[in-house]
Amino acid sequence: MIAVIIFIGAMSGVFTAAGLFALITSVGVINRYADVSGTSRHVSLYEECIIIGATAANAVYVLGITVRIGMTGCIIFGLISGIFIGTFLISLAETVKALPIFVHRAKAGTGLGFIVAATAAGKALGQLVYYLYMY
């Protein structure tokens, strides 16, 4: 019976990772990260990390494994999650051309870097507050 549960958890992780990877790839987040960071030759490593991370997280969730990381681990996880979600949203907004429309209407062409950094920092802070106090 436990083998069936492990198999279901692993396959659920694979399918969830594939869906997440398809969404992230279609939006262009991986290529954008690689371009900005100057690590274009490591795109396959980024892709593998996303697939492994999504599969592992889904397996932990499905199997009900408790991962004790303490307050420091929670802070680090919250910051990393917030940065990822913030940059994902910025990439998504760029894809649907929402950011250029906002910049044009707000006449904020010179402060674009600040807007992006503030959005990412706000999402990171929101994730941190969620995981520290609301979860």
Side-chain angles (χ1 to χ4, degrees):
M1 184 64 177
I2 192 73
V4 172
I5 293 173
I6 290 172
F7 178 75
I8 291 171
M11 290 301 103
S12 298
V14 169
F15 289 127
T16 302
L20 176 69
F21 179 71
L23 176 68
I24 289 173
T25 302
S26 67
V27 171
V29 175
I30 297 171
N31 294 333
R32 185 79 174 131
Y33 280 143
D35 288 342
V36 169
S37 64
T39 57
S40 298
R41 64 181 186 271
H42 298 295
V43 170
S44 62
L45 177 64
Y46 290 146
E47 294 170 350
E48 291 170 3
C49 287
I50 290 171
I51 292 170
I52 292 169
T55 303
N58 195 34
V60 166
Y61 179 75
V62 169
L63 297 175
I65 299 170
T66 303
V67 180
R68 303 209 184 276
I69 56 175
M71 185 62 73
T72 304
C74 191
I75 290 170
I76 292 169
F77 182 75
L79 286 172
I80 291 171
S81 298
I83 290 168
F84 175 77
I85 289 174
T87 54
F88 181 76
L89 290 176
I90 294 298
S91 296
L92 184 60
E94 284 181 3
T95 300
V96 297
K97 306 296 183 215
L99 192 59
I101 293 170
F102 170 75
V103 169
H104 176 69
R105 289 186 187 234
K107 296 180 179 39
T110 58
L112 184 59
F114 178 73
I115 291 170
V116 171
T119 302
K123 294 306 268 181
L125 183 63
Q127 288 284 53
L128 185 63
V129 168
Y130 174 76
Y131 282 108
L132 287 177
Y133 299 110
M134 301 173 78
Y135 184 65

